[in-house]
Amino acid sequence: MKTMRPPRWGILLLLATAILFSIPMIWLVLSSLKPAEQLTEDPYSLLPASWQWNNFSDALDSMPYLVYLTNSLLLCAGTVVGSVLSCSLVAYGFARLRWRGRRLLFGILVATMLLPWHVTMIPRFLLFRELGWYNHLTALIAPTFLGDAFFIFLLRQFFLSIPEELSEAARIDGLGEWGIFWKIILPLSKPALATVALFQFIATWNDFGGPLLYLNDPSRFPLAYGLEQFVSSYSDQTHLLMAAAVLFTLPVIVLFLFTQRTFLRGISTAGLKQ
């Protein structure tokens, strides 16, 4: 069986589109290497008049980057674990178990995606303050252990695509639902789990509203909030702002380059079966 290759014009169109969408990132990287006076006098020039690699070291010296980076990594690790664990458990219950009211409850769960974050912002803040979580990273990590409607929906659709015969064979061999979940469903769901992990990582990495609401100690600021403080302090030094933006974006780009195959596979197979 011959594999169909995309037409040449399709490849050229995709290449042109990729270049077009890459222009802002290319301009950002090149601007981070320009002298300060060039960004002021000729901000639309593409190439630096002289390559200022020291812009990155100056940006690092101007803010506690390692502190912000450590906090962001701690937040990302905690939220990724919380989302993958809680959402996979709930999705398994909706996809593989039969119980009364399952469809109704799943519909209500999906409907909660219509609620904006601002609706629950104040009640959640009051609750976390009473629990003593204000100004602690726990306030940003704990909610992910209660599940997310979109991730539950995504994993449920993927679990439905796994043949039911595998679970039946496992039950005949004596495995319970917990064993089926850990030994069969999860190993077969690595692409979908990786997709959830990547989505949650990026959402936590870019989160500004959560740290703004729950944190007031600079030693606990993640990169997103720390970068905003940096912008407020160095708004007139564009070359440092560009360098700081590159340092903020680089870890996410590297992560995606290493996980893009698994991520794309999870996206393409998550909705195969209704």
Side-chain angles (χ1 to χ4, degrees):
M1 183 177 179
K2 293 184 178 180
T3 304
M4 295 184 62
R5 299 182 60 183
R8 183 173 299 179
W9 64 266
I11 297 177
L12 293 176
L13 179 61
L14 289 175
L15 181 61
T17 305
I19 294 175
L20 179 64
F21 279 88
S22 300
I23 289 177
M25 189 62 199
I26 295 173
W27 182 83
L28 172 65
V29 174
L30 293 176
S31 296
S32 68
L33 297 170
K34 295 177 182 178
E37 58 273 10
Q38 183 181 1
L39 287 170
T40 304
E41 299 170 359
D42 188 15
Y44 300 107
S45 61
L46 182 61
L47 295 177
S50 61
W51 300 81
Q52 302 293 318
W53 295 97
N54 61 301
N55 287 346
F56 292 100
S57 59
D58 292 342
L60 291 175
D61 292 337
S62 302
M63 63 175 175
Y65 179 81
L66 292 180
V67 174
Y68 296 158
L69 178 63
T70 301
N71 292 333
S72 288
L73 292 177
L74 287 175
L75 281 174
C76 289
T79 56
V80 165
V81 171
S83 290
V84 171
L85 181 62
S86 62
C87 295
S88 59
L89 282 169
V90 177
Y92 179 81
F94 280 121
R96 314 293 288 193
L97 303 180
R98 301 292 180 264
W99 43 279
R100 183 176 298 179
R102 180 186 58 160
R103 293 183 180 275
L104 175 61
L105 192 57
F106 181 71
I108 296 174
L109 174 70
V110 173
T112 61
M113 287 192 288
L114 299 174
L115 293 175
W117 178 75
H118 308 83
V119 173
T120 60
M121 179 177 65
I122 295 178
R124 185 180 296 184
F125 173 82
L126 295 176
L127 174 62
F128 291 166
R129 188 183 63 178
E130 292 298 321
L131 292 174
W133 292 352
Y134 179 70
N135 200 31
H136 288 278
L137 298 182
T138 306
L140 300 171
I141 297 176
T144 61
F145 283 85
L146 302 178
D148 180 272
F150 173 72
F151 294 153
I152 293 171
F153 172 79
L154 184 70
L155 290 174
R156 174 186 177 271
Q157 297 304 107
F158 192 94
F159 291 167
L160 287 174
S161 67
I162 299 175
E164 185 67 34
E165 289 78 6
L166 295 175
S167 298
E168 294 297 336
R171 291 188 183 97
I172 294 175
D173 291 339
L175 273 182
E177 295 299 333
W178 190 254
I180 294 172
F181 172 73
W182 280 106
K183 296 182 179 180
I184 296 178
I185 301 299
L186 288 188
L188 293 175
S189 304
K190 290 180 180 178
L193 296 175
T195 301
V196 170
L198 184 59
F199 275 162
Q200 182 60 60
F201 183 95
I202 294 176
T204 304
W205 186 268
N206 295 328
D207 184 25
F208 173 77
L212 175 65
L213 186 64
Y214 299 120
L215 303 178
N216 61 10
D217 184 355
S219 65
R220 293 189 171 97
F221 289 170
L223 265 176
Y225 192 46
L227 184 63
E228 192 277 336
Q229 300 294 314
F230 181 79
V231 170
S232 301
S233 302
Y234 297 90
S235 58
D236 58 334
Q237 301 189 43
T238 312
H239 61 299
L240 296 183
L241 299 182
M242 295 296 179
V246 172
L247 293 172
F248 174 80
T249 310
L250 188 61
V252 179
I253 295 177
V254 173
L255 175 66
F256 179 76
L257 290 177
F258 279 103
T259 60
Q260 58 178 327
R261 286 191 177 182
T262 304
F263 170 72
L264 294 176
R265 183 184 171 197
I267 289 293
S268 62
T269 57
L272 289 180
K273 185 175 180 181
Q274 301 295 328

